[in-house]
């Protein structure tokens, strides 16, 4: 049984159909990536899984529990947490306060304290800046904070939306090393990433989205070797 399963979901913005029968699954312990052009439906898929958008048709299941009508905050409590596109940290709150917001659904003080230390082990710079206001952090530090905040919910499945966006190459490499570390520590990851080459390096499998549908799927090796993927997403030409 998959950890996360999405079956034939259709989602809309008003009357505009953004997702047209998306189906995918993520097994426990995997990193799975969604790649595609801007507007393909990648972020909408994550937002639908996390309950920000409600699907009109189809099913979303976490460990076989149906999530379609579950409020977003309860989905976090059940085990899905998202680091959104554009980071969207609380710019006027400190690093500590942002991380505390990630644990809003929890009451286990000892566990929360343990996860603070886990986040600081993953992102030492956040510990150095624990009293600093989020809006004054660099772009890379804000991305670390967004991921750290999501990890404070102790998720079973971590949704990452464009973690490399706007970052210098050296910071992108650092962020992805940390994503791999998070996964090795036991967190399942569903990754949306504009850098398809890098995403397919860290993921075991991937889905290619085009105009709200799954155009291709396969192992990362299969997708990297696909001539169409090489030409469109990897810049290697046919």
């Amino acid at each position: 049984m998959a950890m996360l399963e999405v079956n034939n979901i259709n989602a809309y913005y008003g009357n505009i159909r953004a997702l047209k029968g998306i189906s995918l699954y993520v097994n426990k312990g995997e990193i799975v990536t969604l790649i595609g052009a801007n507007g393909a439906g990648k972020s909408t898929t994550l937002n639908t899984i996390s309950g920000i958008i409600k699907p009109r048709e189809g099913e979303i299941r976490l460990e076989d529990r149906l999530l379609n009508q579950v409020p977003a905050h309860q989905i976090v409590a059940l085990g899905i947490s998202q680091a959104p596109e554009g980071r969207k940290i609380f710019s006027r709150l400190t690093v500590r306060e942002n991380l505390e917001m990630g644990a809003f659904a929890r009451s286990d003080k000892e566990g929360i304290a343990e996860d603070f230390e886990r986040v600081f082990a993953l992102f030492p710079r956040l510990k150095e800046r624990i009293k600093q206001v989020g809006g004054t952090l660099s772009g890379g530090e804000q991305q670390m904070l967004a991921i750290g905040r999501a990890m404070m919910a102790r998720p079973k499945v971590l949704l990452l939306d464009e973690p490399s966006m706007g970052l210098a190459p050296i910071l992108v490499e650092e962020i992805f090393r940390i994503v791999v570390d998070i996964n090795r520590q036991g967190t399942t990851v569903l990754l949306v990433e504009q850098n398809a080459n890098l995403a397919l390096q860290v993921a075991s499998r991937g889905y290619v989205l085009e105009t709200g549908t799954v155009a291709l799927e396969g192992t990362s090796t299969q997708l990297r070797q696909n001539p169409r993927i090489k030409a469109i997403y990897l810049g290697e030409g046919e």
Side-chain angles (χ1 to χ4, degrees), residues 89-90 93-96 98-99 123 126 134 137 140-150:
I89 62 164
F90 298 103
L93 300 184
T94 65
V95 168
R96 173 179 284 281
N98 268 274
L99 294 175
F123 303 107
L126 294 184
L137 300 175
E141 290 163 350
Q142 288 187 21
Q143 185 61 67
M144 294 174 188
L145 182 55
I147 297 173
R149 181 182 61 189

Side-chain angles (χ1 to χ4, degrees), residues 19-233:
L19 301 183
K20 307 167 186 176
I22 295 282
S23 294
L24 60 89
Y25 68 93
V26 186
N27 290 321
K28 184 177 181 179
E30 279 192 306
I31 300 178
V32 173
T33 188
L34 306 181
I35 61 175
N38 288 338
K42 306 183 302 296
S43 294
T44 302
T45 299
L46 294 194
N47 289 339
T48 305
I49 291 169
S50 63
I52 297 169
I53 298 169
K54 294 300 181 185
R56 291 193 191 174
E57 298 93 23
E59 293 184 343
I60 302 167
R61 292 182 179 273
L62 176 68
E63 296 181 314
D64 209 34
R65 172 161 182 168
L66 186 64
L67 300 182
N68 288 46
Q69 301 304 319
V70 178
H73 69 282
Q74 290 183 17
I75 289 176
V76 174
L78 289 171
I80 295 178
S81 187
Q82 181 173 353
E85 180 182 5
R87 298 143 201 167
K88 294 184 175 64
I89 62 164
F90 298 103
S91 61
R92 296 185 180 183
L93 300 184
T94 65
V95 168
R96 173 179 284 281
E97 289 167 338
N98 268 274
L99 294 175
E100 288 173 343
M101 290 298 292
F104 78 95
R106 300 173 59 184
S107 58
D108 56 320
K109 292 184 179 180
E110 289 187 6
I112 292 170
E114 289 173 1
D115 285 336
F116 262 105
E117 293 307 313
R118 181 186 181 194
V119 168
F120 292 149
L122 289 166
F123 303 107
R125 269 183 276 183
L126 294 184
K127 188 170 186 178
E128 295 169 5
R129 290 157 174 73
I130 190 167
K131 296 181 180 180
Q132 191 168 329
V133 174
T136 65
L137 300 175
S138 70
E141 290 163 350
Q142 288 187 21
Q143 185 61 67
M144 294 174 188
L145 182 55
I147 297 173
R149 181 182 61 189
M151 289 301 296
M152 287 299 297
R154 195 174 283 188
K156 298 172 182 177
V157 181
L158 175 64
L159 309 180
L160 294 177
D161 196 350
E162 302 283 14
S164 77
M165 183 180 287
L167 301 185
I170 190 168
L171 285 175
V172 172
E173 291 178 9
E174 182 178 357
I175 290 292
F176 271 80
R177 280 197 302 271
I178 292 165
V179 170
V180 171
D181 283 346
I182 289 170
N183 178 249
R184 286 173 178 163
Q185 291 174 18
T187 303
T188 302
V189 178
L190 180 57
L191 167 69
V192 163
E193 176 50 50
Q194 60 181 346
N195 187 330
N197 204 352
L198 189 53
L200 291 172
Q201 286 178 34
V202 302
S204 58
R205 294 187 300 108
Y207 296 84
V208 180
L209 270 56
E210 294 180 358
T211 60
T213 64
V214 174
L216 287 168
E217 62 180 282
T219 67
S220 292
T221 299
Q222 289 170 337
L223 293 176
R224 282 200 304 267
Q225 293 174 349
N226 184 294
R228 187 160 173 264
I229 300 303
K230 285 182 178 182
I232 298 174
Y233 300 108

